[in-house]
Amino acid sequence: MLRPGEEGDKRFEVTNVLDAIERHLTTEAALAQVVVDLGEIAWFEALDGGRSVNLLRTGIMVDALGRHFGEDAVRLYPVAGRDLLTDADLTSKERMVLGRWASDGLIEVVPQAGDRALDVADLTGLALGTCRDLHGAEQRYPWLRGERLLRLVPGEGGAQIHGGHPGPAQPSSAGAGLLGQLWRCQRRDCPLFGERRGVSPAVPHLRAGVPSCPRHGEPLGNAGPKAPSVTLALAVDGVVRERFVLHAGRPTMVGRAPDHPAGIVIGHFMSGEDLQMISRTHLRFELRDEVVLVSDVSTNGTVVRSRPSAYGPAEEIHLAGGPPYPLKPWDTVEPHDRVVLGRADRMPTGYGGASGSVMGDAPTISLGPPM
Ligand SMILES: [Zn+2]
Protein backbone atom coordinates (compact mmCIF):
# COMPACT_ATOMS: atom_id res chain seq x y z
CA MET A 1 0.00 0.00 0.00
CA LEU A 2 1.26 3.45 -0.84
CA ARG A 3 1.84 5.82 2.00
CA PRO A 4 0.28 9.25 1.51
CA GLY A 5 2.31 11.29 -0.92
CA GLU A 6 4.56 8.39 -1.87
CA GLU A 7 3.54 8.16 -5.49
CA GLY A 8 3.94 11.90 -5.91
CA ASP A 9 7.40 11.77 -4.30
CA LYS A 10 8.43 9.01 -6.64
CA ARG A 11 7.38 10.98 -9.70
CA PHE A 12 9.22 13.98 -8.31
CA GLU A 13 12.30 11.85 -7.76
CA VAL A 14 12.27 10.51 -11.34
CA THR A 15 11.86 14.02 -12.75
CA ASN A 16 14.81 15.24 -10.67
CA VAL A 17 17.03 12.38 -11.80
CA LEU A 18 16.15 12.92 -15.48
CA ASP A 19 16.87 16.65 -15.11
CA ALA A 20 20.21 15.85 -13.48
CA ILE A 21 21.06 13.41 -16.30
CA GLU A 22 20.14 16.04 -18.89
CA ARG A 23 22.93 18.34 -17.67
CA HIS A 24 25.44 15.67 -18.71
CA LEU A 25 24.26 15.35 -22.33
CA THR A 26 25.69 17.17 -25.34
CA THR A 27 26.09 16.62 -29.08
CA GLU A 28 28.96 19.11 -29.27
CA ALA A 29 32.18 17.14 -29.76
CA ALA A 30 34.33 19.83 -28.09
CA LEU A 31 32.32 19.46 -24.87
CA ALA A 32 31.79 15.68 -24.86
CA GLN A 33 34.15 13.13 -23.33
CA VAL A 34 32.40 9.81 -23.95
CA VAL A 35 30.15 8.65 -26.81
CA VAL A 36 27.36 6.25 -25.84
CA ASP A 37 24.55 4.38 -27.53
CA LEU A 38 21.63 5.38 -25.32
CA GLY A 39 19.53 2.33 -26.26
CA GLU A 40 22.32 -0.03 -25.26
CA ILE A 41 22.27 1.48 -21.76
CA ALA A 42 18.49 1.84 -21.41
CA TRP A 43 18.01 -1.82 -22.44
CA PHE A 44 20.80 -3.15 -20.19
CA GLU A 45 18.52 -5.11 -17.82
CA ALA A 46 21.45 -6.90 -16.18
CA LEU A 47 22.51 -3.58 -14.67
CA ASP A 48 19.76 -3.63 -12.04
CA GLY A 49 17.52 -6.56 -12.91
CA GLY A 50 14.61 -4.17 -13.35
CA ARG A 51 12.39 -3.20 -16.28
CA SER A 52 13.28 -4.22 -19.86
CA VAL A 53 13.89 -0.56 -20.72
CA ASN A 54 14.72 2.23 -18.30
CA LEU A 55 16.08 5.65 -19.18
CA LEU A 56 17.35 6.12 -15.63
CA ARG A 57 20.11 3.61 -16.38
CA THR A 58 21.78 6.51 -18.19
CA GLY A 59 22.26 8.00 -14.72
CA ILE A 60 24.07 4.85 -13.59
CA MET A 61 26.44 5.32 -16.56
CA VAL A 62 26.95 9.02 -15.73
CA ASP A 63 27.70 8.22 -12.06
CA ALA A 64 30.05 5.35 -12.91
CA LEU A 65 31.97 7.56 -15.38
CA GLY A 66 32.09 10.36 -12.78
CA ARG A 67 33.67 7.98 -10.26
CA HIS A 68 36.04 6.63 -12.92
CA PHE A 69 37.23 10.10 -13.96
CA GLY A 70 36.92 11.62 -10.45
CA GLU A 71 34.81 14.53 -11.66
CA ASP A 72 31.28 15.89 -11.58
CA ALA A 73 30.98 17.30 -15.07
CA VAL A 74 31.19 14.20 -17.28
CA ARG A 75 29.57 14.90 -20.64
CA LEU A 76 28.12 12.16 -22.82
CA TYR A 77 27.52 12.36 -26.58
CA PRO A 78 24.41 10.13 -26.78
CA VAL A 79 23.28 8.40 -29.97
CA ALA A 80 19.75 6.94 -29.97
CA GLY A 81 18.06 4.81 -32.61
CA ARG A 82 14.39 5.50 -33.42
CA ASP A 83 13.51 2.12 -31.92
CA LEU A 84 14.43 3.42 -28.47
CA LEU A 85 12.17 6.45 -28.79
CA THR A 86 9.24 4.25 -29.82
CA ASP A 87 9.80 1.44 -27.29
CA ALA A 88 6.29 0.68 -25.94
CA ASP A 89 7.69 -0.18 -22.50
CA LEU A 90 8.97 3.33 -21.82
CA THR A 91 6.90 5.29 -19.32
CA SER A 92 5.08 8.30 -20.74
CA LYS A 93 7.46 10.49 -18.74
CA GLU A 94 10.52 8.83 -20.30
CA ARG A 95 9.03 9.11 -23.79
CA MET A 96 8.33 12.79 -23.25
CA VAL A 97 11.82 13.48 -21.93
CA LEU A 98 13.47 11.58 -24.79
CA GLY A 99 11.41 13.59 -27.27
CA ARG A 100 12.53 16.82 -25.62
CA TRP A 101 16.19 15.77 -25.59
CA ALA A 102 15.89 14.93 -29.31
CA SER A 103 14.29 18.24 -30.29
CA ASP A 104 16.77 20.20 -28.15
CA GLY A 105 19.68 18.43 -29.87
CA LEU A 106 20.97 16.96 -26.59
CA ILE A 107 20.88 13.49 -28.11
CA GLU A 108 21.52 12.44 -31.69
CA VAL A 109 18.50 10.52 -32.98
CA VAL A 110 19.25 8.32 -35.97
CA PRO A 111 17.03 5.94 -37.98
CA GLN A 112 19.13 2.98 -36.76
CA ALA A 113 21.77 3.16 -34.04
CA GLY A 114 23.92 0.40 -35.59
CA ASP A 115 27.58 1.37 -35.21
CA ARG A 116 26.93 5.13 -35.15
CA ALA A 117 28.31 5.52 -31.59
CA LEU A 118 31.50 3.73 -32.71
CA ASP A 119 31.69 5.98 -35.78
CA VAL A 120 31.31 9.17 -33.72
CA ALA A 121 34.02 7.98 -31.30
CA ASP A 122 36.20 7.06 -34.31
CA LEU A 123 35.87 10.48 -35.98
CA THR A 124 36.15 12.61 -32.84
CA GLY A 125 38.76 10.61 -30.91
CA LEU A 126 36.43 10.53 -27.92
CA ALA A 127 36.14 7.49 -25.64
CA LEU A 128 33.32 4.99 -26.13
CA GLY A 129 31.14 4.02 -23.18
CA THR A 130 29.47 0.68 -23.83
CA CYS A 131 27.67 -2.27 -22.24
CA ARG A 132 28.05 -4.39 -25.35
CA ASP A 133 30.54 -7.09 -26.28
CA LEU A 134 32.49 -5.51 -29.12
CA HIS A 135 34.67 -8.47 -30.04
CA GLY A 136 35.41 -8.35 -33.73
CA ALA A 137 35.00 -4.57 -33.99
CA GLU A 138 38.73 -4.04 -33.25
CA GLN A 139 39.52 -4.79 -36.89
CA ARG A 140 37.65 -1.72 -38.03
CA TYR A 141 38.31 0.35 -34.88
CA PRO A 142 41.82 -0.55 -33.66
CA TRP A 143 41.60 2.06 -30.84
CA LEU A 144 39.13 -0.26 -29.06
CA ARG A 145 42.22 -2.12 -27.81
CA GLY A 146 43.44 1.03 -26.03
CA GLU A 147 42.42 3.49 -23.34
CA ARG A 148 39.29 4.71 -25.09
CA LEU A 149 37.07 1.67 -24.45
CA LEU A 150 35.07 2.14 -21.24
CA ARG A 151 32.83 -0.80 -20.34
CA LEU A 152 29.96 -0.41 -17.89
CA VAL A 153 29.85 -3.52 -15.72
CA PRO A 154 27.25 -4.33 -13.04
CA GLY A 155 28.76 -4.93 -9.63
CA GLU A 156 28.14 -5.19 -5.94
CA GLY A 157 27.83 -1.72 -4.49
CA GLY A 158 27.10 -0.13 -7.85
CA ALA A 159 28.07 -0.37 -11.49
CA GLN A 160 31.68 0.21 -12.45
CA ILE A 161 33.65 1.26 -15.48
CA HIS A 162 36.28 -1.18 -16.67
CA GLY A 163 38.72 0.54 -18.95
CA GLY A 164 41.41 3.10 -19.32
CA HIS A 165 41.92 6.77 -18.68
CA PRO A 166 41.78 8.32 -22.14
CA GLY A 167 43.82 11.45 -22.79
CA PRO A 168 42.62 14.49 -24.72
CA ALA A 169 40.59 13.52 -27.81
CA GLN A 170 42.58 13.39 -31.04
CA PRO A 171 40.19 13.29 -34.01
CA SER A 172 40.97 10.91 -36.87
CA SER A 173 42.19 12.56 -40.08
CA ALA A 174 38.70 12.31 -41.58
CA GLY A 175 37.25 13.62 -38.31
CA ALA A 176 39.65 16.57 -38.13
CA GLY A 177 38.56 17.61 -41.63
CA LEU A 178 34.87 17.31 -40.75
CA LEU A 179 35.12 19.02 -37.35
CA GLY A 180 37.10 21.94 -38.79
CA GLN A 181 34.14 23.00 -40.94
CA LEU A 182 30.72 24.39 -40.11
CA TRP A 183 28.01 22.11 -41.55
CA ARG A 184 24.35 22.92 -42.13
CA CYS A 185 21.39 20.59 -42.69
CA GLN A 186 18.95 21.36 -45.51
CA ARG A 187 16.28 21.40 -42.82
CA ARG A 188 16.72 24.69 -41.02
CA ASP A 189 14.99 23.41 -37.87
CA CYS A 190 17.33 20.38 -37.65
CA PRO A 191 18.29 20.01 -33.94
CA LEU A 192 21.80 18.81 -34.91
CA PHE A 193 22.80 21.05 -37.85
CA GLY A 194 20.05 23.69 -38.02
CA GLU A 195 20.25 27.43 -37.46
CA ARG A 196 19.72 27.10 -33.70
CA ARG A 197 23.02 25.25 -33.36
CA GLY A 198 24.98 28.38 -34.26
CA VAL A 199 28.73 27.76 -34.17
CA SER A 200 28.54 24.35 -32.48
CA PRO A 201 26.78 21.71 -34.59
CA ALA A 202 26.93 17.94 -34.02
CA VAL A 203 29.24 15.39 -35.68
CA PRO A 204 28.43 14.74 -39.38
CA HIS A 205 27.86 11.20 -40.62
CA LEU A 206 30.19 10.21 -43.46
CA ARG A 207 27.86 8.45 -45.86
CA ALA A 208 29.83 6.96 -48.74
CA GLY A 209 32.36 9.74 -48.14
CA VAL A 210 29.74 12.51 -48.19
CA PRO A 211 29.17 14.50 -44.95
CA SER A 212 25.49 13.89 -44.18
CA CYS A 213 23.01 14.66 -41.42
CA PRO A 214 22.90 11.58 -39.18
CA ARG A 215 19.25 12.28 -38.39
CA HIS A 216 17.88 13.22 -41.82
CA GLY A 217 20.31 11.34 -44.06
CA GLU A 218 20.66 14.25 -46.49
CA PRO A 219 24.02 15.75 -47.53
CA LEU A 220 25.10 18.70 -45.38
CA GLY A 221 26.01 22.10 -46.80
CA ASN A 222 29.47 23.50 -45.99
CA ALA A 223 29.20 26.94 -44.37
CA GLY A 224 32.98 27.47 -44.28
CA PRO A 225 35.69 26.90 -41.69
CA LYS A 226 34.59 26.73 -38.07
CA ALA A 227 35.90 29.47 -35.76
CA PRO A 228 38.55 28.24 -33.32
CA SER A 229 37.44 27.18 -29.85
CA VAL A 230 38.99 26.02 -26.59
CA THR A 231 37.29 23.88 -23.94
CA LEU A 232 37.73 25.18 -20.40
CA ALA A 233 36.90 23.54 -17.07
CA LEU A 234 35.86 24.90 -13.70
CA ALA A 235 36.96 23.01 -10.58
CA VAL A 236 35.72 23.72 -7.06
CA ASP A 237 37.46 22.04 -4.11
CA GLY A 238 39.55 19.95 -6.49
CA VAL A 239 36.64 18.44 -8.46
CA VAL A 240 35.76 19.48 -12.02
CA ARG A 241 32.16 20.76 -11.83
CA GLU A 242 31.63 22.32 -15.24
CA ARG A 243 33.06 22.38 -18.76
CA PHE A 244 32.40 25.06 -21.32
CA VAL A 245 33.54 25.84 -24.83
CA LEU A 246 35.04 29.26 -25.44
CA HIS A 247 34.42 30.22 -29.09
CA ALA A 248 36.43 32.94 -30.84
CA GLY A 249 34.48 36.19 -30.82
CA ARG A 250 32.13 35.03 -28.03
CA PRO A 251 33.42 36.04 -24.61
CA THR A 252 32.21 34.03 -21.60
CA MET A 253 31.56 35.55 -18.18
CA VAL A 254 32.30 33.62 -14.98
CA GLY A 255 31.24 34.62 -11.50
CA ARG A 256 28.94 34.08 -8.55
CA ALA A 257 25.92 34.63 -10.82
CA PRO A 258 26.78 36.47 -14.05
CA ASP A 259 23.95 38.29 -15.82
CA HIS A 260 24.88 36.86 -19.20
CA PRO A 261 22.68 33.84 -20.13
CA ALA A 262 25.69 31.74 -21.19
CA GLY A 263 27.63 32.75 -18.07
CA ILE A 264 29.27 30.18 -15.80
CA VAL A 265 27.65 30.26 -12.36
CA ILE A 266 30.03 29.40 -9.51
CA GLY A 267 27.10 29.86 -7.10
CA HIS A 268 25.84 26.40 -8.15
CA PHE A 269 28.84 24.81 -6.44
CA MET A 270 29.59 27.00 -3.41
CA SER A 271 27.72 28.92 -0.75
CA GLY A 272 28.17 31.16 2.27
CA GLU A 273 30.96 33.63 2.95
CA ASP A 274 33.40 32.03 0.51
CA LEU A 275 30.93 32.54 -2.33
CA GLN A 276 30.45 36.18 -1.31
CA MET A 277 34.17 36.75 -1.96
CA ILE A 278 33.43 36.05 -5.62
CA SER A 279 31.89 38.92 -7.58
CA ARG A 280 28.62 38.49 -9.42
CA THR A 281 30.64 38.74 -12.63
CA HIS A 282 34.25 38.05 -11.69
CA LEU A 283 36.05 37.06 -14.88
CA ARG A 284 35.70 37.52 -18.60
CA PHE A 285 37.28 34.91 -20.87
CA GLU A 286 37.87 35.60 -24.54
CA LEU A 287 39.57 33.64 -27.32
CA ARG A 288 41.53 35.86 -29.69
CA ASP A 289 44.06 34.60 -32.27
CA GLU A 290 43.90 31.20 -30.53
CA VAL A 291 45.07 32.72 -27.22
CA VAL A 292 42.77 32.65 -24.19
CA LEU A 293 42.59 36.10 -22.60
CA VAL A 294 41.26 36.54 -19.07
CA SER A 295 40.11 39.86 -17.61
CA ASP A 296 39.49 40.42 -13.93
CA VAL A 297 36.35 42.53 -13.46
CA SER A 298 35.89 41.73 -9.75
CA THR A 299 36.04 43.56 -6.44
CA ASN A 300 38.54 41.21 -4.76
CA GLY A 301 40.87 40.32 -7.63
CA THR A 302 42.11 37.05 -9.11
CA VAL A 303 45.27 34.96 -8.99
CA VAL A 304 46.75 33.42 -12.15
CA ARG A 305 49.17 30.54 -11.60
CA SER A 306 51.46 30.50 -14.61
CA ARG A 307 53.25 27.23 -15.37
CA PRO A 308 55.66 26.47 -18.22
CA SER A 309 54.53 22.81 -18.24
CA ALA A 310 52.40 20.35 -16.28
CA TYR A 311 54.98 19.98 -13.53
CA GLY A 312 56.87 23.27 -13.72
CA PRO A 313 56.94 25.68 -10.77
CA ALA A 314 54.02 28.10 -10.78
CA GLU A 315 54.53 31.84 -10.83
CA GLU A 316 51.76 33.75 -9.05
CA ILE A 317 50.31 36.75 -10.86
CA HIS A 318 47.69 38.99 -9.23
CA LEU A 319 45.06 40.47 -11.49
CA ALA A 320 43.02 43.43 -10.28
CA GLY A 321 41.23 44.98 -13.21
CA GLY A 322 43.76 46.00 -15.84
CA PRO A 323 44.08 44.80 -19.43
CA PRO A 324 43.21 41.24 -20.53
CA TYR A 325 45.90 38.75 -19.49
CA PRO A 326 47.02 36.19 -22.13
CA LEU A 327 47.01 32.68 -20.63
CA LYS A 328 49.64 30.11 -21.57
CA PRO A 329 48.27 26.58 -22.05
CA TRP A 330 49.14 25.35 -18.55
CA ASP A 331 48.09 28.52 -16.70
CA THR A 332 45.21 28.33 -14.24
CA VAL A 333 42.96 31.12 -12.99
CA GLU A 334 41.79 31.33 -9.37
CA PRO A 335 39.06 33.81 -8.49
CA HIS A 336 39.08 32.22 -4.99
CA ASP A 337 41.44 29.70 -3.38
CA ARG A 338 38.76 26.96 -3.71
CA VAL A 339 38.07 27.71 -7.40
CA VAL A 340 40.32 26.90 -10.37
CA LEU A 341 39.69 27.46 -14.09
CA GLY A 342 41.90 26.25 -16.92
CA ARG A 343 42.01 24.32 -20.16
CA ALA A 344 39.90 21.19 -19.72
CA ASP A 345 42.60 18.93 -21.16
CA ARG A 346 45.33 20.46 -18.99
CA MET A 347 43.87 20.87 -15.54
CA PRO A 348 46.70 20.19 -13.09
CA THR A 349 47.15 16.59 -12.01
CA GLY A 350 45.88 15.68 -8.59
CA TYR A 351 42.34 16.65 -9.46
CA GLY A 352 39.60 14.18 -8.74
CA GLY A 353 38.24 12.59 -5.64
CA ALA A 354 34.72 12.80 -4.31
CA SER A 355 32.02 13.37 -6.86
CA GLY A 356 28.28 13.73 -6.60
CA SER A 357 25.55 11.52 -8.02
CA VAL A 358 22.81 12.23 -10.56
CA MET A 359 20.79 9.35 -9.07
CA GLY A 360 20.27 11.19 -5.78
CA ASP A 361 19.79 9.32 -2.51
CA ALA A 362 17.15 6.97 -3.84
CA PRO A 363 18.41 5.01 -6.82
CA THR A 364 16.34 2.01 -5.77
CA ILE A 365 13.15 4.06 -5.92
CA SER A 366 14.17 5.48 -9.26
CA LEU A 367 14.74 2.06 -10.78
CA GLY A 368 11.57 0.52 -9.38
CA PRO A 369 8.60 -0.75 -11.39
CA PRO A 370 6.99 1.50 -14.01
CA MET A 371 4.45 4.07 -12.90
ZN1 LIG B 1 19.33 17.32 -40.19
Side-chain angles (χ1 to χ4, degrees):
M1 203 176 79
L2 283 172
R3 290 193 305 273
E6 193 171 90
E7 195 167 339
D9 289 350
K10 199 159 137 183
R11 278 172 210 263
F12 183 66
E13 179 73 29
V14 169
T15 304
N16 282 352
V17 174
L18 290 171
D19 285 348
I21 292 170
E22 182 173 314
R23 291 192 279 275
H24 292 265
L25 310 179
T26 181
T27 52
E28 186 176 1
L31 204 50
Q33 292 151 286
V34 183
V35 187
V36 298
D37 180 329
L38 209 52
E40 215 180 84
I41 304 168
W43 287 315
F44 191 30
E45 272 175 77
L47 204 49
D48 50 84
R51 295 159 46 204
S52 63
V53 62
N54 195 327
L55 200 51
L56 296 173
R57 288 183 185 124
T58 316
I60 298 181
M61 178 62 118
V62 168
D63 280 356
L65 286 168
R67 287 193 299 273
H68 187 71
F69 291 149
E71 70 160 86
D72 257 2
V74 172
R75 295 284 193 131
L76 309 184
Y77 186 115
V79 173
R82 284 240 158 261
D83 51 349
L84 174 64
L85 276 78
T86 54
D87 188 316
D89 291 330
L90 287 172
T91 63
S92 54
K93 173 91 203 167
E94 286 172 320
R95 201 168 301 121
M96 192 185 78
V97 166
L98 269 176
R100 191 180 74 222
W101 289 351
S103 57
D104 288 348
L106 293 173
I107 62 176
E108 184 189 295
V109 176
V110 291
Q112 283 180 325
D115 283 341
R116 173 63 183 161
L118 277 156
D119 283 338
V120 173
D122 190 52
L123 290 167
T124 56
L126 295 170
L128 179 80
T130 187
C131 327
R132 206 160 39 119
D133 184 359
L134 289 164
H135 281 309
E138 295 96 337
Q139 293 285 342
R140 210 172 136 208
Y141 306 102
W143 50 265
L144 284 171
R145 296 192 185 93
E147 299 280 302
R148 282 162 59 196
L149 177 63
L150 303 173
R151 284 179 57 84
L152 182 67
V153 180
E156 302 253 335
Q160 288 177 8
I161 297 294
H162 289 184
H165 285 269
Q170 298 287 345
S172 68
S173 54
L178 284 175
L179 297 172
Q181 305 290 314
L182 199 56
W183 300 98
R184 285 281 176 256
C185 185
Q186 295 170 20
R187 307 197 188 195
R188 291 162 70 178
D189 62 347
C190 176
L192 302 174
F193 294 92
E195 285 169 349
R196 262 198 304 158
R197 291 298 297 237
V199 293
S200 54
V203 177
H205 172 48
L206 266 187
R207 200 176 182 199
V210 179
S212 307
C213 177
R215 176 162 181 163
H216 298 116
E218 295 158 22
L220 293 167
N222 187 336
K226 202 193 267 181
S229 68
V230 168
T231 309
L232 301 179
L234 163 76
V236 178
D237 298 331
V239 178
V240 173
R241 314 283 177 159
E242 184 98 86
R243 292 161 181 280
F244 57 101
V245 181
L246 186 63
H247 296 277
R250 295 175 175 234
T252 298
M253 305 300 184
V254 177
R256 193 174 73 234
D259 276 329
H260 197 265
I264 302 302
V265 183
I266 298 174
H268 289 158
F269 315 105
M270 278 171 83
S271 59
E273 281 177 27
D274 281 356
L275 180 60
Q276 292 309 314
M277 296 295 289
I278 299 170
S279 296
R280 194 174 164 80
T281 300
H282 200 109
L283 297 164
R284 179 182 191 271
F285 284 89
E286 187 183 357
L287 183 62
R288 207 187 292 161
D289 301 328
E290 311 210 8
V291 175
V292 177
L293 302 172
V294 62
S295 307
D296 173 80
V297 293
S298 75
T299 309
N300 294 317
T302 297
V303 171
V304 171
R305 274 180 223 288
S306 187
R307 291 176 183 80
S309 66
Y311 304 105
E315 184 195 346
E316 213 176 273
I317 296 146
H318 290 262
L319 303 184
Y325 181 87
L327 294 173
K328 293 195 285 294
W330 291 100
D331 289 1
T332 53
V333 180
E334 302 186 10
H336 183 278
D337 57 14
R338 292 173 55 194
V339 181
V340 179
L341 292 118
R343 288 196 182 224
D345 56 356
R346 292 189 181 173
M347 286 300 261
T349 50
Y351 275 78
S355 64
S357 165
V358 296
M359 300 298 284
D361 329 313
T364 44
I365 291 177
S366 305
L367 284 163
M371 291 174 290

